Amino acid sequence: RMAEKQEEPSNAQNGEPDNAEEGEEKKKKKLKREDLPPFEIVTGERLPAIFFKFQFRNVEYSSGRNKTFLCYVVETQGRESVTSRGYLEDEHAAAHAEMAFFNTILPKCESSVRYNVTWYVSSSPCVTCADRITETLKKNKNLRLTIMVGRLFMWEEPEMQTALKNMKAAGCKLRIMKPQDFEYVWQNFVEQEEGEEAKAFAPWEDIQENFQYYEEKLAEIL
C-alpha cells in the first residue's frame, strides 16, 4: 500500500518548495503523503507514526527502506540562543535528506554564530552525502554535528568505511541510536493521534540486540 501511494500522480499546486511564511493550513495539506509528487524533499514538524515504525527500525537487512528520514535539532548560539527542530525525508532519486538539510535548513553558517546540530537519521549517509558532510564541517569550524543513526548503510563497502572515517576526522560525532534515542524521536518528532493520549513508545523485540550489533560494527570501522 505504501508503495502505491508514493507513485500517484503529483498535484501541480504542491510542486513548489515549502516556504516558512505559508499558512499552517496549507502546510498541513502538504504533509498529506498522497498529495506530494514523488521525488521531492518533504519537510515538516512531525512525521507519521507508520513511517517512523517502518523506516527507523534498526533491522539488519533493511529491504524496502530506501528513503532517509532525518529529524534535526539546530541550536544556534549567537547574540541570542535559538533552537529549531523538524524533519526531512527524501526519495533516493533526488537530493538525499542530508544534502537537503545543508541546502535548505542550514544553507550558510554565519561565522559569528556557533551551531550545534543533532540529527536522528534512519540510516547512516551514503558516500556522497558523507563527503559533503566532511567538506561542510571542514569549511565551517563553528559547526558541531552529531549524527545518531538507526542503521549503518552499506557499511561493508571499503569506500563507505573511508567516508565515515573522514567524517569522524572532520569532527562529526557518529553514534548508533540506543532504545532511549528512538524513544526521544518518538516523543519529539512523531505525530500523535489527535485527541488521544500520547502513546508511549513501544520498543520492538530486537531493538537492543540490533543496537549492540551496529555499535560493534561502527566501533570496528572507526
Side-chain angles (χ1 to χ4, degrees):
R1 256 187 66 78
M2 277 178 66
E4 285 166 17
K5 265 189 183 172
Q6 287 168 14
E7 284 153 11
E8 285 184 11
S10 62
N11 291 351
Q13 76 270 27
N14 287 325
E16 73 277 348
D18 224 354
N19 293 327
E21 303 85 49
E22 273 180 9
E24 267 316 292
E25 212 30 62
K26 201 161 168 200
K27 215 162 161 189
K28 280 198 192 100
K29 199 167 145 216
K30 271 220 169 113
L31 292 180
K32 288 209 349 239
R33 193 71 203 109
E34 303 85 309
D35 300 341
L36 287 162
F39 311 133
E40 174 188 335
I41 293 294
V42 182
T43 56
E45 307 279 310
R46 287 178 176 257
L47 66 151
I50 187 169
F51 290 165
F52 171 80
K53 286 174 184 166
F54 180 69
Q55 297 288 352
F56 270 90
R57 266 192 94 141
N58 56 356
V59 288
E60 190 177 336
Y61 298 104
S62 52
S63 63
R65 294 173 173 84
N66 58 347
K67 287 164 74 81
T68 304
F69 277 81
L70 185 157
C71 301
Y72 61 85
V73 181
V74 179
E75 297 170 310
T76 49
Q77 296 165 329
R79 258 176 257 150
E80 47 195 74
S81 297
V82 183
T83 301
S84 63
R85 60 175 67 224
Y87 87 94
L88 292 163
E89 63 179 88
D90 65 24
E91 300 279 5
H92 271 217
H96 290 189
E98 296 92 336
M99 297 281 197
F101 178 86
F102 290 122
N103 296 341
T104 58
I105 308 297
L106 201 63
K108 62 178 196 295
C109 291
E110 306 285 339
S111 56
S112 60
V113 179
R114 282 188 57 134
Y115 299 86
N116 287 327
V117 178
T118 306
W119 291 353
Y120 296 86
V121 198
S122 46
S123 70
S124 58
C126 67
V127 172
T128 312
C129 288
D131 291 346
R132 169 81 187 271
I133 290 165
T134 301
E135 279 165 36
T136 306
L137 286 170
K138 281 182 178 163
K139 256 202 332 246
N140 302 288
K141 295 294 179 203
N142 52 332
L143 170 63
R144 299 264 175 283
L145 178 61
T146 301
I147 306 180
M148 314 290 288
V149 302
R151 303 184 297 276
L152 289 176
F153 175 69
M154 294 182 72
W155 54 268
E156 287 141 323
E157 304 288 326
E159 61 170 341
M160 190 70 253
Q161 297 187 0
T162 304
L164 294 178
K165 285 180 180 137
N166 291 343
M167 272 169 50
K168 185 189 175 184
C172 178
K173 290 195 177 85
L174 191 58
R175 305 274 185 271
I176 305 293
M177 285 170 70
K178 300 181 169 80
Q180 303 88 290
D181 297 315
F182 288 105
E183 185 169 9
Y184 174 82
V185 171
W186 174 259
Q187 288 168 349
N188 291 279
F189 291 101
V190 176
E191 279 172 7
Q192 303 294 340
E193 292 297 315
E194 275 179 43
E196 283 188 25
E197 282 295 300
K199 287 195 180 78
F201 173 63
W204 40 92
E205 209 180 313
D206 42 10
I207 189 169
Q208 181 63 27
E209 293 91 290
N210 291 347
F211 156 65
Q212 285 164 330
Y213 168 83
Y214 279 123
E215 195 171 50
E216 279 165 29
K217 297 289 169 236
L218 184 62
E220 284 165 24
I221 294 167
L222 298 181

